[in-house]
Structures are given as C-alpha cells and as structure tokens.
Amino acid sequence: PATGGGLLLPTPTPAAAGATTTASTAVTTTAAPVSAADANYISAVQGIVETYDGIVQTLDSLIGDARRDAATLTNPDWANRVNATLVLLRRTAASVGELVPPADRTAAQDNLVNAAREYTNAGNALSQAASTAAVAQLDVAESAIQAANASLAAVENALR
C-alpha cells in the first residue's frame, strides 16, 4: 500500500483481571506520498504485527488454561505449546531486528523492538512457569504482554 493503506495493529483493550486481550484496529497512514522504502517498511511491520496478534491469542490461551487449572503448568502438552510459541516469538523478534526503517520511522522501529522484547519476555515467563510450576510467572507474562501491547500502540501512533 503506497498511500492511505490500512495498517492493522493490536490495540490494548481493558480486560478482566487475569486476562490479556488485544483487538486489531485499522490505521490510516498519512495522505502524503509514501516512498517505496516507507511502503516496504510499513508492509513488513504490518506482517509482523499480524504475527504478534496471533501469538498473543496463543499466549492468552496458555495463560487462561493455567489460570483455570494450575496443574496445567506441569502438563507436558502445555509445556510443548509454550515452547512452540517461544520459538515463534524468537523468530518474529529476529525479523523485527532485521528491519531497517526509513529515517522518519525510527520511533516506530524502537517501539516495535520494545514490543518484541516484551512479547519474548512473556514467552520466557511461561517457559519458566512450565519448568517450575510457578503460578506467579503467569502474572509476569501478563505484565509483559501489556507492556508489549502499549509499545505496539506507540508503533501505531508513530506510523500515522
């Protein structure tokens, strides 16, 4: 999308205690002409954000399962799901690190890097919960998700 293309970013939404959710919202970029580098960057960010949107749904599901039944933390199937999600988080974070933003998009990139770090922190907390059965790690994961969601909201603002 060269101009005015919709960019979907997860937006933090108020959630009940113990729940972390996101909702996608359409973002309209500025009406000014956009360079090819800018359009490519925005397109790459959109793909990464869509990936994170799916990952957050998985993280929320994992956390919800463990909150409903703490014994889930010792379930090998749950641990396997956590590990698979952590691999995807790390791969996506690596993609974020490979992006080279146009000069006027560095604020967006900085916030995207922060989001990647926080989402990975959430995955690490769930991995820790799986290996130690520490329920408190669920709170750590949720806090990291909320911080990541806030960073993605900042990405949205920076891309306007």
Side-chain angles (χ1 to χ4, degrees):
T3 63
L7 179 65
L8 298 178
L9 297 174
T11 302
T13 56
T20 55
T21 59
T22 62
S24 291
T25 181
V27 175
T28 304
T29 57
T30 59
V34 178
S35 70
D38 204 36
N40 290 338
Y41 178 76
I42 290 169
S43 178
V45 169
Q46 182 176 7
I48 287 169
V49 168
E50 288 172 1
T51 299
Y52 276 130
D53 210 14
I55 293 170
V56 169
Q57 290 176 15
T58 301
L59 291 171
D60 285 344
S61 174
L62 289 163
I63 292 168
D65 291 347
R67 290 236 185 253
R68 280 187 294 283
D69 181 5
T72 299
L73 296 174
T74 60
N75 182 313
D77 291 334
W78 189 82
N80 288 338
R81 288 174 52 211
V82 167
N83 290 334
T85 302
L86 190 53
V87 167
L88 185 54
L89 282 164
R90 290 177 178 160
R91 186 178 309 136
T92 306
S95 295
V96 168
E98 293 171 359
L99 285 177
V100 178
D104 62 339
R105 300 295 187 185
T106 57
Q109 181 66 16
D110 290 345
N111 283 301
L112 190 58
V113 167
N114 289 337
R117 182 176 27 257
E118 291 298 334
Y119 284 132
T120 301
N121 288 343
N124 289 336
L126 291 183
S127 180
Q128 185 70 22
S131 64
T132 65
V135 174
Q137 290 298 312
L138 301 176
D139 295 332
V140 173
E142 286 181 328
S143 292
I145 292 168
Q146 290 171 0
N149 289 345
S151 290
L152 282 184
V155 170
E156 172 186 77
N157 288 334
L159 291 180
R160 289 180 184 218

